[in-house]
Amino acid sequence: ARYSDAAGRTGIQRDLTLRALHLLHGCCPTLSRAPPGTTLLLDAGCGSGESSAVISAAGHRVIGVDLSADMLHAAREPRGDVIAWDLGLGLPFRGDAKSCSGRGGGGGEEE
């Protein structure tokens, strides 16, 4: 319950997530052109899933990753899939996964 009682921060988290999505769409043309529901975004350090909920509501599929079992329990429903993982160990995904991190080249290219 301690992780889901932060109602005062929910609006701020929502606004920050919407801003991040706006910036991501601006730097990643592939994401902007994708039909709704066809993009999969990673919410690294998802916590209780507030950002995941906003990402999902914006039409993206989302996977949340967090180390804290208590946080993941709060995030499970209705926000989508979550993975218990230490991000310090890297990510447990296939090596051929696409990234739109904005690193390298001119910034914003797919890697």
Side-chain angles (χ1 to χ4, degrees):
R2 69 180 171 181
Y3 294 118
S4 60
D5 291 339
R9 287 178 265 185
T10 301
I12 294 169
Q13 185 69 32
R14 179 184 176 280
D15 292 346
L16 290 172
T17 304
L18 288 172
R19 177 69 178 143
L21 284 172
H22 175 77
L23 292 170
L24 186 59
H25 278 270
C27 76
C28 187
T30 303
L31 181 65
S32 296
R33 291 188 302 267
T38 62
T39 56
L40 177 63
L41 299 179
L42 175 69
D43 185 0
C46 67
S48 62
E50 295 301 325
S51 291
S52 293
V54 175
I55 293 167
S56 180
H60 303 287
R61 296 178 343 204
V62 62
I63 295 178
V65 179
D66 203 289
L67 181 61
S68 169
D70 288 340
M71 290 291 233
L72 291 175
H73 179 71
R76 290 214 186 272
E77 287 298 329
R79 296 177 174 101
D81 296 325
V82 294
I83 299 171
W85 190 259
D86 181 350
L87 291 170
L89 300 174
L91 294 172
F93 300 118
R94 296 188 320 254
D96 64 343
K98 295 286 184 188
S99 166
C100 191
S101 65
R103 291 177 292 145
E109 297 94 23
E110 278 191 35
E111 297 179 337

